[in-house]
């Protein structure tokens, strides 16, 4: 079998040097998990998405691999793959007119995606599975605070730590002061050791509330050359579920998540929070030459 073509997109970005890069393989039928893992490692992005066929119900089967392991769900690679399908089509179907709705069959369930075309380019929106919010055990909170060199007093008392899961479990902390949020650092090796020990497959999400409907986010995700994820769709969905669960925002509402500036790849994620059900995360994706 010949080597598959890998497209490269920057998700949640207005230019190729912003947002979160993702690899996209539009026809991964017949590829083994070992081959997909190797390709993801060679691409070197936080995740590469592989369309592996269609289900009996007509959904596009998709798998996500970081450079070191398969992950259950990846929001930015979902956005990138949906935009790539809109722009290129694939071996399983012709490129369709926009707007359109497609479904991805992911390891965490079917995810509907709406794709539209606007003045800022092709835009995709996915609806997460209904989020589950649970307590963050005290020993896990202490371990994260030790990792980033902060104390419990640095946290926003109105937004307590939780585990928020809208496809991946994300430990989620909210820092009260922007200056503290901007300056925290961590050892990537210690972060990877902690995340592997706790079984956290995605990011540790640290946010700061900028206003009633805007948040800044930093997502700890040490894999390969990456230490912080530039734009994290699954974490944005988890944040939306967290805010709704705490009653921290009126629902329905829309919030913006600004992420990536701390690693030189600024991006914007739009999060629509309904009164119940899944969280809608949307953004653009730009082809990386």
């Amino acid at each position: 079998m010949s080597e598959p073509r890998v497209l490269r997109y920057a998700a949640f970005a207005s230019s190729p040097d912003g947002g979160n890069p993702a690899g996209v393989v539009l026809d991964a039928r017949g590829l083994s998990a070992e081959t997909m893992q190797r390709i993801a490692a060679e691409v070197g992005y936080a995740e590469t998405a592989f369309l592996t066929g269609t289900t009996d119900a007509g959904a596009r089967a998709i798998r996500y691999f970081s450079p070191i392991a398969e992950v259950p769900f990846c929001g930015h690679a979902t956005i990138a793959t949906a935009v790539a399908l809109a722009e290129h089509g694939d071996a399983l179907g012709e490129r369709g007119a926009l707007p359109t709705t497609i479904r991805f069959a992911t390891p965490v369930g079917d995810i509907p995606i709406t794709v539209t075309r606007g003045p800022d380019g092709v835009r995709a929106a996915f609806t997460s599975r209904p989020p589950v919010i649970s307590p963050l055990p005290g020993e896990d909170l202490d371990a994260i605070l030790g990792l980033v060199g902060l104390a419990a007093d640095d946290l926003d008392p109105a937004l307590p730590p939780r585990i928020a899961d809208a496809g991946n479990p994300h430990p989620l902390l909210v820092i009260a002061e922007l200056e503290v949020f901007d300056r925290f650092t961590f050892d990537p090796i210690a972060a990877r050791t902690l995340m592997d020990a706790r079984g956290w497959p995605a990011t540790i999400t640290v946010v700061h509330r900028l206003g009633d409907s805007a948040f800044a986010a930093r997502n700890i995700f040490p894999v390969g050359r990456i230490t912080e994820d530039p734009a994290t769709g699954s974490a944005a969905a988890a944040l939306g579920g967290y805010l709704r669960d705490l009653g921290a925002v009126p629902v329905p509402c829309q919030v913006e998540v600004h992420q990536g500036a701390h690693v030189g790849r600024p991006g914007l994620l739009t999060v629509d929070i309904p009164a119940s059900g899944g969280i809608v995360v949307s953004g653009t994706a730009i082809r990386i030459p």
Side-chain angles (χ1 to χ4, degrees), residues 172-195:
L172 196 157
L173 279 62
V174 184
I175 293 179
E177 299 297 330
L178 180 60
E179 187 271 335
V180 175
F181 171 82
D182 283 336
R183 70 170 166 79
F184 81 76
T185 60
F186 59 93
D187 179 345
I189 295 175
R192 174 48 53 197
T193 300
L194 172 62
M195 294 165 74

Side-chain angles (χ1 to χ4, degrees), residues 8 16 27 30 32 91 129 150 166 172 191 193 201 210 236 239 252 254 266 276:
R8 289 166 170 80
D27 186 7
S32 66
R129 72 182 190 187
L150 300 180
L172 196 157
T193 300
L210 298 170
L239 174 63
Q254 182 180 92
S276 62

Side-chain angles (χ1 to χ4, degrees), residues 32-42 50 64-71:
S32 66
E34 291 76 16
T35 298
M36 289 186 276
Q37 183 64 78
R38 174 183 58 79
I39 291 170
E42 291 171 354
F50 299 83
Y64 310 94
F65 287 80
S66 82
I68 61 172
E70 185 170 10
V71 297

Side-chain angles (χ1 to χ4, degrees), residues 8 26 37 60 66 70 83 93 95 99 115 127 132 151 176 215 219 235 243 286:
R8 289 166 170 80
L26 292 176
Q37 183 64 78
R60 305 292 182 93
S66 82
E70 185 170 10
V83 171
R95 180 172 56 181
V115 187
T127 301
V132 176
F215 291 80
N219 277 264
L243 294 172
I286 307 297

